[in-house]
Amino acid sequence: ANGYYWSRWATCFHSSRDFSDMVFVDNYIFNKDVYVQFNSTVGEYVGYTELGVRSAESWNKDPNILQQERAEVERFCKHNAEIRQ
């Protein structure tokens, strides 16, 4: 494909069966490079490029966005892990 490639990759990591150490990671990718990432352990967005830093600063100022991302550990990760277990 000609042009640019944008994607979003979200995943969950855990090493115990009780999911107490569950971590949610949400990557925003542009042309195969992660430019901004949310990690539930950190609790906010981190930018890795100029665009990512600006995006992270903006998103970190919005408590609604942060609250929604922080809740993904329970809503997305733990819910799906319990179903699969």
Side-chain angles (χ1 to χ4, degrees), residues 15-72:
S15 60
S16 66
R17 293 187 61 80
D18 67 356
F19 311 128
S20 60
D21 63 344
M22 182 90 45
V23 176
F24 173 71
V25 177
D26 194 4
N27 292 298
Y28 294 78
I29 303 161
F30 183 73
N31 285 350
K32 300 182 183 178
D33 292 323
V34 174
Y35 68 94
V36 68
Q37 179 184 77
F38 179 86
N39 182 316
S40 63
T41 303
V42 176
E44 63 182 24
Y45 291 94
V46 176
Y48 296 104
T49 66
E50 186 177 339
L51 171 63
V53 169
R54 287 195 315 262
S55 298
E57 287 173 354
S58 174
W59 297 343
N60 287 335
K61 290 178 185 175
D62 188 333
N64 295 321
I65 293 174
L66 288 177
Q67 181 181 9
Q68 183 176 348
E69 284 282 35
R70 290 172 181 155
E72 291 299 294

